């Protein structure tokens, strides 16, 4: 019997958590924060924006455009790294043997 009450309590807690998250999302949509693009001033902000390459918001985080540019840069580096790795593997197998 005690086990059933614990399960019921857990289910009720999960339901309350879902309702809370839903209410927080609705509130965030109804009351958007105004974030302005600023120039990085501190060393931490300079590191976050890679010396000002990516847009920084007034809240101290990257803007969606800044995040997109950073992700594009990372994907490009990964593609270049993989291409060099493929070429090196090809060269190893065909030029060494």
């Amino acid at each position: 019997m005690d086990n059933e009450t614990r399960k019921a309590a857990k289910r009720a807690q999960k339901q309350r958590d879902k309702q809370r998250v839903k209410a927080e999302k609705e509130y965030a949509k109804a009351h958007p924060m105004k974030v302005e693009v600023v120039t990085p001033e501190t060393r931490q902000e300079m590191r976050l924006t890679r010396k000002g390459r990516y847009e920084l918001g007034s809240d101290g985080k990257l803007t969606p455009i800044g995040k997109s540019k950073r992700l594009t840069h990372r994907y490009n580096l990964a593609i270049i790294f993989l291409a060099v790795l493929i070429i090196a593997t090809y060269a190893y197998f065909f030029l060494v043997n």
Side-chain angles (χ1 to χ4, degrees):
M1 190 76 173
D2 187 35
N3 195 15
E4 292 177 13
T5 57
R6 286 183 186 175
K7 287 182 180 179
K10 283 186 178 183
R11 271 192 242 116
Q13 181 65 33
K14 284 184 180 181
Q15 187 66 24
R16 284 192 301 269
D17 286 343
K18 285 182 181 179
Q19 289 175 348
R20 179 184 53 80
V21 169
K22 184 180 176 184
E24 288 175 354
K25 286 181 180 179
E26 289 175 359
Y27 182 84
K29 284 183 180 178
H31 301 89
M33 277 184 48
K34 299 285 183 184
V35 177
E36 298 176 14
V37 177
V38 296
T39 58
E41 296 175 356
T42 64
R43 182 169 188 219
Q44 182 182 9
E45 290 174 349
M46 289 296 276
R47 290 184 69 200
L48 179 65
T49 61
R50 289 189 50 101
K51 298 182 183 176
R53 288 183 192 161
Y54 313 124
E55 286 185 357
L56 182 69
S58 58
D59 59 351
K61 299 178 182 177
L62 291 176
T63 62
I65 294 172
K67 288 180 183 178
S68 175
K69 285 184 180 180
R70 183 177 67 177
L71 188 60
T72 302
H73 177 75
R74 287 181 176 176
Y75 281 152
N76 288 340
L77 286 178
I79 290 169
I80 291 169
F81 176 73
L82 289 174
V84 168
L85 194 62
I86 289 169
I87 292 170
T89 305
Y90 177 81
Y92 176 76
F93 284 123
F94 289 105
L95 298 179
V96 171
N97 291 334

